[in-house]
Amino acid sequence: MKNNIPYKTYLTEKEIPESWYNVRADMQNDHRPLLNPATMQPVTVADLSSVFCEELAKQELNTTDRYIPIPEEIRNFYKMFRPSPLIRAYFLEEVLDTPAEIYYKYEGGNTSGSHKLNSAIAQAYYAKKQGLKGVTTETGAGQWGTALAMACGYFDLDCKVYMVRVSAEQKPDRVAIMETYNADVTMSPSDTTEVGRKMLLDPANRNGSLGTAISEAVEYAVLNEGYRYTLGSVLNQVLIHQSIIGLESKLAMEKIDRYPDVVIGCAGGGSNLGGLMSAFMADRLTGKQSPYFIAVEPASCPSMTRGKFAYDYCDTGQVTPLAKMYTLGHGFIPPASHAGGLRFHGMSPILSQLYHDGYLDEARSVTQKEIFEVAGLFAKVEGTLPAPESAHAIKTAIDEALKCKETGEKKVILFGLTGTGYFDMSAYRRYRENDLDDTPPTDESIAKGLANLPAQPDF
Amino acid sequence: MKNNIPYKTYLTEKEIPESWYNVRADMQNDHRPLLNPATMQPVTVADLSSVFCEELAKQELNTTDRYIPIPEEIRNFYKMFRPSPLIRAYFLEEVLDTPAEIYYKYEGGNTSGSHKLNSAIAQAYYAKKQGLKGVTTETGAGQWGTALAMACGYFDLDCKVYMVRVSAEQKPDRVAIMETYNADVTMSPSDTTEVGRKMLLDPANRNGSLGTAISEAVEYAVLNEGYRYTLGSVLNQVLIHQSIIGLESKLAMEKIDRYPDVVIGCAGGGSNLGGLMSAFMADRLTGKQSPYFIAVEPASCPSMTRGKFAYDYCDTGQVTPLAKMYTLGHGFIPPASHAGGLRFHGMSPILSQLYHDGYLDEARSVTQKEIFEVAGLFAKVEGTLPAPESAHAIKTAIDEALKCKETGEKKVILFGLTGTGYFDMSAYRRYRENDLDDTPPTDESIAKGLANLPAQPDF
């Protein structure tokens, strides 16, 4: 090791932050309001409370509290897997022969295998506290569903997961883990909801999509007493809970006397990047020093780099509120060959607004081949087999480190390693067998998706 | 949390032990010598050096050095996933309502998902240092194979894994991970070795067994220049490397001012229990305070509880040295319904001797249903989904904690959580579907296995 910075920097359990950070309190321009799809008026806590439990409805609309205390029960659960380590990528730096320092915050060291557990336990907790019977959700790759199943298992809450059928069929082990935590996993589209039954009329919809699964989960929650809906990304409440990643990262970097020049996160719905950047974005928004922020998305699902900043639904079934965000249209589905995750058609309204206003500095897209190539390298030199999602950030961190090699700059690069790739081995296999098509969506297919946007309301 | 003991206790990286512990230096009675199957005489370093790389052959026969320095390259690699946390099972204690304190050393926080990486990196390092081209090995469940693939990937060594065919077919994701680390995975029995070809003559052998896979891996290593054989358990060298678990455990317990009353480890070949008990067994052998040691094995493969302390081969093909150990006979194969791991017919010669001499206090066997039941409970309350192997130790720790509830004793219980259950979800599924037969081997099948023992040499 080159100097006194350890390979892994841990905070103590007592240093786990006592509050989450709510970036909206510091944003100069708040994101445009979420709209109730029935009235096309800004949603109220009352509107949202039929979908989310009340405390979360309040968090969703909270623009004033910079810090939201983390209940003790949640902090106790966090101790099972937090503080997560901040890792100095010594081995990667060495093979890259870069003067840059590369750090990553590793969120995969829990059974769900990703950062999603940070918000799952919060959403389950508030549901339990409200005396609910259970929660519903959708899951694609299964990371969020597993996290929610764990959280519900812990609080003895009923957990109803709508899983995109093609994912469920490809990942029986993910289903089995959720079931081990007593979750009830339904393949979507299903005949348990009106939205599902409608989709099933056309056999072309059989494989399912995240958008349809969301619609099903929302419908079930709204129509069944004692249930509420939960979501693993996109929403403001999720970014609040995920802020723990960035808060811990900043504290850990202070311990080793560093501040990042660049912060890089993969971005699907925005939960990881929004979380990782939190404490540093607070610095930016309050006029202190700030890193350069980069969002990385798949070339197959390029909401920020090729989408439009517009009001759109968050789901195919149009049952969710409309959000102003970077979107490819709520009907957009990445090409079937896409195996790299991050398949949501839109982007967190907060991140969208920050990007629109220039606080989130840059969005990039990378191809599948690029991510699986660096994933293999990373696994070999740093030991951890990354989730394809995380590999988007690895790819960009490597690119930035190689730029430093050219310029001689000793930049401090921080990226989010959101999870492990254990359940993505079929995607890894397809990469090895040269079976991943990397043709990006055509301009026509992007235009077709955007043609689906609703009439733009004046908010 | 009840008191000031944190949920997770970490050592600093600087506190990672600088030497492994070699228990043989302290044993009153050394285990009976390994015998060369060709000469039936004690093996020499020269004998072993055609199978193992030289440094490891020396470690295998080392009876004098209490401590063996860990090379810096290995300590650097260790930093990727060590020190591993010592976890206070607060949540488990609470549901059990026990006055006991339960701790576990968690070794699953790395991509191989188990403690096997501790020895894999050492074996790969010495092979690399000797200038070898590659190493061979066998794997059953895939934990050891994955660990070795990671280690070889790191050192750019060729890694040839013979994987029990039925496991490889059931666990394509395990195969894909090994291949991602560039290992070459061959299903055993295979036509790449004489032993394999012989086995394939009888279609009943098609599924393979650990014993056959060992024979194939050894044969390949001996007959191909630049290759040596490696093994993930049973051998003395493995117990030396795994001693890091116990050394770290003892240091971590000192930090929180505790000493275990009971140490519990699952035992297949003995790598985990041998490692976990190391520093505490040193105390016992040198007349200091000592915990009560319990080995836990599956009722389906009960080498210590129903086997015989006798000389036997470590493999079906009888190409490996003979060892005096608790064994069910080298032809013994657990019932097909067995899904809980720990399927080796014998037991580490060191552990066997310690058990025979009363230093390892007790061996117990538990059934599959028992282990999957506690595995589900543990996953829910402690968050981590355990490997079925580890669940053997969990079951026994719970039993001991419940005894304390009856007696009111505040015992300090330490067990080894060797790994995660990610790749055992088909076994979990079978448990949930009530598809695990728990009929133990009949007395006849045990007798049949033991009838296979070679004529006992006089050592």
Side-chain angles (χ1 to χ4, degrees), chain A residues 376-456:
Chain A
L377 170 71
F378 188 83
K380 240 167 272 170
V381 302
E382 287 286 325
T384 300
L385 184 86
E389 290 85 350
S390 318
H392 288 74
I394 298 173
K395 164 66 182 155
T396 304
I398 289 176
D399 287 347
E400 292 299 300
L402 290 176
K403 272 190 215 163
C404 289
K405 187 175 175 179
E406 279 177 30
T407 62
E409 286 173 291
K410 296 186 180 181
K411 280 190 182 169
V412 174
I413 298 169
L414 168 65
F415 72 88
L417 191 73
T418 56
T420 64
Y422 296 136
F423 295 97
D424 300 286
M425 293 320 298
S426 59
Y428 272 89
R429 204 155 39 224
R430 285 174 58 194
Y431 166 70
R432 287 177 55 81
E433 290 164 1
N434 221 351
D435 181 34
L436 290 179
D437 180 13
D438 254 333
T439 316
T442 59
D443 288 342
E444 289 70 35
S445 70
I446 297 280
K448 196 179 149 199
L450 294 174
N452 245 333
L453 293 176
Q456 293 296 299

Side-chain angles (χ1 to χ4, degrees), chain A residues 176-188:
Chain A
I177 291 192
M178 288 186 265
E179 289 178 345
T180 295
Y181 284 93
N182 285 358
D184 172 26
V185 182
T186 304
M187 295 204 209
S188 169

Side-chain angles (χ1 to χ4, degrees), chain A residues 7-8 13 82 111 432, chain B residues 7-8 13 82 179 385:
Chain A
Y7 183 69
K8 295 186 241 71
E13 283 171 15
R82 309 206 67 82
T111 286
R432 287 177 55 81
Chain B
Y7 184 68
K8 295 187 241 72
E13 282 170 16
R82 309 204 66 82
E179 289 178 346
L385 185 86

Side-chain angles (χ1 to χ4, degrees), chain A residues 166-309:
Chain A
V166 62
S167 298
E169 287 174 350
Q170 279 168 9
K171 300 183 172 186
D173 284 359
R174 269 289 186 197
V175 177
I177 291 192
M178 288 186 265
E179 289 178 345
T180 295
Y181 284 93
N182 285 358
D184 172 26
V185 182
T186 304
M187 295 204 209
S188 169
S190 77
D191 60 6
T192 65
T193 65
E194 209 184 303
V195 175
R197 287 187 292 270
K198 215 166 111 186
M199 293 302 284
L200 284 174
L201 292 178
D202 183 351
N205 296 327
R206 186 194 166 275
N207 280 351
S209 72
L210 215 47
T212 301
I214 295 176
S215 305
E216 289 207 87
V218 172
E219 183 186 321
Y220 189 94
V222 170
L223 296 184
N224 287 274
E225 184 150 347
Y227 283 85
R228 291 294 185 282
Y229 170 69
T230 64
L231 183 63
S233 192
V234 184
L235 295 173
N236 302 334
Q237 58 188 269
V238 175
L239 265 68
I240 288 172
H241 308 149
Q242 295 295 358
S243 69
I244 191 136
I245 305 175
L247 293 164
E248 280 188 11
S249 296
K250 194 179 168 200
L251 283 174
M253 295 210 90
E254 280 168 8
K255 280 205 173 189
I256 54 171
D257 202 21
R258 289 293 184 277
Y259 191 89
D261 296 303
V262 189
V263 169
I264 300 166
C266 61
S271 70
N272 156 64
L273 177 61
L276 177 68
M277 60 165 39
S278 65
F280 305 105
M281 184 56 81
D283 288 350
R284 162 84 61 106
L285 294 171
T286 54
K288 298 183 191 134
Q289 71 179 134
S290 164
Y292 183 82
F293 296 107
I294 307 177
V296 194
E297 56 185 17
S300 304
C301 193
S303 59
M304 297 176 92
T305 50
R306 295 178 70 192
K308 204 170 155 181
F309 187 49

Side-chain angles (χ1 to χ4, degrees), chain A residues 11-22 59 66-76 78-79 82-83 126 240-241 243-245 247-248 251:
Chain A
L11 304 175
T12 66
E13 283 171 15
K14 285 185 181 154
E15 291 170 316
I16 294 179
E18 295 185 1
S19 299
W20 294 301
Y21 169 65
N22 177 17
Q59 288 184 8
R66 288 193 81 201
Y67 291 102
I68 294 171
I70 306 176
E72 203 198 328
E73 291 87 340
I74 297 175
R75 289 188 81 235
N76 273 343
Y78 276 169
K79 287 177 187 165
R82 309 206 67 82
Y126 290 116
I240 288 172
H241 308 149
S243 69
I244 191 136
I245 305 175
L247 293 164
E248 280 188 11
L251 283 174

